[in-house]
Amino acid sequence: MSALHAEWTKAWTVPGTAWLLAGVVTLTPLLGVLAASSMAEGGDPARTSLLGVTLGQAAVVGLAVATVSGEYGTGMIRTTLTAVPRRLAVLRAKAFLVCMLTVAGGTAAVGASVAAGDALLPEGLSIAQGPVLRAAVGSVLYLALVGLLGVGVAALVRDAATAVGLVLGLLFLTPIVASLVSDPDWRERLLEWSPMTAGLAVQATVDLGSQPIGPWQGLGVLAAWASAALLAGAAALRLRDAS
Amino acid sequence: MTNSIRAEWTKFRTVRGWVIGLLTAIPLTVLIGLLGPLGSSFDCAGPNGAQCRGNTPPIGPDGTPVFDTFYFVHRTLTGDGSVTARVGALRDAEPWAKAGLLLKEGTTSGSRYAAVLLTGGHGVRMQYDFTEDIAGPSPDEDRQWLRLTREGTTLTGETSSDGRRWSTVGTVRLDFGERVELGMFVSSPQHLETSNTFGGRLDRGAPTVATTSFDQVRTTGAAAEDWRGTAVGIDPAREHEVGFTDDGGDLTITGTGDIAPIPASAGSLGKTAENALVGAFAGLVAVLVVAALFATSEYRRGIIRTSFTANPRRGQLLAAKAVVVGGLSFVVGAVSSALALPLVERAELAEGFFQHPTTWLTELRLVLGTGLLFAVAAVLAVALGMFLRRGALTVTAVVVGVVLPYLLAVASVLPTGPAEVLVTVTPAAAFAIQQSVEEYPQVAASYTPADGYFPLSPTGGLVVLCGYAAVAVVLAAIATRRRDA
């Protein structure tokens, strides 16, 4: 518990944290507003309003990576590990903190996006509908899982810029490659396996059959990616010299 | 300035991680490019056990894959000759349904031809060898006279509304050889409806047929034989829908298909050169990370104070960093695309895809253009890095600015309108430099960013990215000058 308290203090005394959280909360609805106001009709209203999650996740990745890599950049990590010698407790505290911050920021961002969608889309959008609620809650969870993925990768590679490059590359590249694969089976497989497209399947509220994967299964795929990254990061933190 | 550049070059090459990171961009670009074709083992057993080969379209005289499907009513012509006919208007037909006079090397799909024709909605045209199209008048009569004449290697298409006063639509020089097929044809392309919504695009196509009359038909030079009807390239299962009747010289012809180049289209079996460069995204991310690190790590380690003491003109340091990273990134981008293009294209051909051909000039533009794209994006990352002083923030900003808009526009997430705006105003516009395919005004198709068609010209797109880089350089120059290091 004291490890978590320490992480909390470190996070709030670095100006970057507040800026990145503000980024999640403003950028997400901003893209949603642009998307919703440019939509004529049809399509998936929930997905349209929540399109900003694709942008907001970049700030989440930045936040997650900064929480871990920032300490390696300044050498602070040596002090941290001296104070809390159980290294996994440090990683656990960091992961929990990133989760908390992302869920808080993500809830505000997703709430604003849904409200904007309701105001701008001709057909409106009500959180009271089951699928819309699932899309909204799922989007918050999606952001939290992307944060955990960032924590894991950052613990593994340590350098902040490299970690951000890796995570954003993983998220953004697979859909681009998938769009070029002609074989429908392979394309489907790529979309099922890639963390972003699988995870965002949770936002679909119409025509679920055309999605590459079911909403909760998709989040499960992202969770698998995040756990793998966290495990690898934990192993690296435990075995490697922290310099 | 030379000294600063030498100093920056020394800093760069002595950090092993940066050199490795930059060089990683080359295998990343090639391997991810190969993933596309290698991950596509499509099953090609068609009806009646037909082979993959059926999927490969005919290839036109210049290597362009083409549609060459129509109903042809013809006689053999040796040497000079002409055909004249009065063609009934194509009412309620597809805008690019065609009826007219045709001179063709033979009845094989993909062979050379010249035609003067009446369309459903685009007036009289003279077209030849699939990609060439000359617009003529747009008549509002019910019937239009057309004439196609060959004299030596000169082919002339003419049109008239009354059969007496003729105007020339076009004259072209084409060398076909002595024996050709001369006559009349009708074609009618697929009716295409594209519905575009968030998260998906649906193309619905249905085959159509068109019927029209040809009367007062006269040929000169051709053998006075009966008209022969040939369903060129038409699926045998649909041959019963087409045909012709000859009522004492007045003919009625029903046809389907199109005589035109095939435009690039998302998810088709036709691959473009830029498809081979999809791995450039991964390579670019690697280059951006290295560029951002090169700019920001001096701040992290405090070496920036030493650098500024050694050379107090701070603008020079920024310029030297930009020159070193920009130059290296250019080489990396050009080398990786020069490797990816032939390797990925070979893999695509081996898998049974067909290719939209490019000239060597276009390939050169793609290779150098990818180099420039990497270079300018790297300069943007360096300048932004000097301005923001945080590596992670810089990489996030540049990757989001360059890659995310492309992803939203191209990976079929956004409808066409917003997608085109995104690849016009964001740094992702620079990917227009990789466009190798042409838009054919004479073919109705969806020409969207997802299909490989950018709203901006190749250089125009690169200029947008240069604009962003220039703004970042100015910001960085002001900030490094004013700020305490």
Side-chain angles (χ1 to χ4, degrees), chain B residues 4-141:
Chain B
S4 320
I5 292 178
R6 191 171 307 140
E8 291 308 318
W9 163 237
T10 309
K11 281 184 215 163
F12 190 92
R13 71 181 165 80
T14 47
V15 179
R16 207 168 36 166
W18 295 346
V19 177
I20 293 173
L22 200 63
L23 291 179
T24 314
I26 298 173
L28 267 182
T29 306
V30 176
L31 292 177
I32 294 199
L34 284 171
L35 211 78
L38 295 186
S40 298
S41 54
F42 49 87
D43 180 17
C44 42
N48 319 321
Q51 290 303 301
C52 284
R53 237 165 277 288
N55 291 325
T56 314
I59 302 297
D62 61 349
T64 315
V66 295
F67 299 111
D68 199 7
T69 309
F70 56 99
Y71 197 80
F72 194 17
V73 178
H74 55 106
R75 287 173 175 166
T76 304
L77 169 73
T78 311
D80 293 352
S82 72
V83 57
T84 311
R86 196 167 66 159
V87 184
L90 292 159
R91 298 265 179 243
D92 306 319
E94 289 292 304
W96 283 108
K98 297 166 186 170
L101 311 176
L102 176 69
L103 188 149
K104 195 167 167 70
E105 264 186 332
T107 51
T108 335
S109 283
S111 58
R112 304 186 66 184
Y113 75 94
V116 59
L117 50 96
L118 192 61
T119 58
H122 298 276
V124 174
R125 330 278 297 191
M126 177 151 184
Q127 299 186 337
Y128 58 98
D129 286 354
F130 303 99
T131 51
E132 307 305 316
D133 174 47
I134 305 167
S138 292
D140 42 17
E141 312 287 326

Side-chain angles (χ1 to χ4, degrees), chain B residues 225-354:
Chain B
E225 52 182 343
D226 278 345
W227 288 108
R228 277 172 283 136
T230 308
V232 178
I234 294 175
D235 180 1
R238 298 192 55 226
E239 265 183 28
H240 66 275
E241 295 175 36
V242 298
F244 81 107
T245 57
D246 185 349
D247 183 11
D250 293 349
L251 287 85
T252 305
I253 306 178
T254 303
T256 183
D258 203 2
I259 312 178
I262 300 181
S265 156
S268 88
L269 297 183
K271 292 290 169 191
T272 61
E274 60 263 39
N275 285 166
L277 293 180
V278 62
F281 283 98
L284 184 61
V285 171
V287 165
L288 292 176
V289 169
V290 172
L293 280 175
F294 186 51
T296 55
S297 58
E298 288 200 29
Y299 284 98
R300 210 176 69 191
R301 305 251 180 241
I303 301 179
I304 193 75
R305 288 189 288 274
T306 318
S307 297
F308 280 154
T309 313
N311 184 354
R313 270 178 297 177
R314 297 182 172 185
Q316 269 196 5
L317 183 85
L318 172 65
K321 277 192 190 297
V323 167
V324 168
V325 163
L328 291 171
S329 305
F330 174 80
V331 175
V332 166
V335 167
S336 45
S337 50
L339 286 174
L341 274 177
L343 287 174
V344 178
E345 280 174 9
R346 190 163 304 170
E348 283 165 350
L349 285 179
E351 285 288 329
F353 293 103
F354 65 89

Side-chain angles (χ1 to χ4, degrees), chain A residues 41 65 125 182 206:
Chain A
E41 56 176 291
V65 168
L125 192 65
S182 307
V206 294

Side-chain angles (χ1 to χ4, degrees), chain A residues 76-169:
Chain A
M76 177 73 179
I77 190 75
R78 288 189 289 271
T79 317
T80 302
L81 292 181
T82 313
V84 187
R86 285 167 299 123
R87 296 187 171 188
L88 293 187
V90 174
L91 189 66
R92 212 159 40 224
K94 283 187 188 294
F96 189 74
L97 178 79
V98 166
C99 250
M100 247 166 35
L101 291 176
T102 317
V103 166
T107 307
V110 166
S113 300
V114 171
D118 188 32
L120 290 168
L121 286 172
E123 60 265 56
L125 192 65
S126 165
I127 197 89
Q129 291 164 338
V132 178
L133 183 63
R134 186 246 302 143
V137 173
S139 297
V140 175
L141 292 177
Y142 173 86
L143 289 172
L145 288 170
V146 165
L148 290 178
L149 179 65
V151 168
V153 171
L156 186 65
V157 302
R158 302 200 247 191
D159 179 74
T162 314
V164 169
L166 273 176
V167 177
L168 290 185

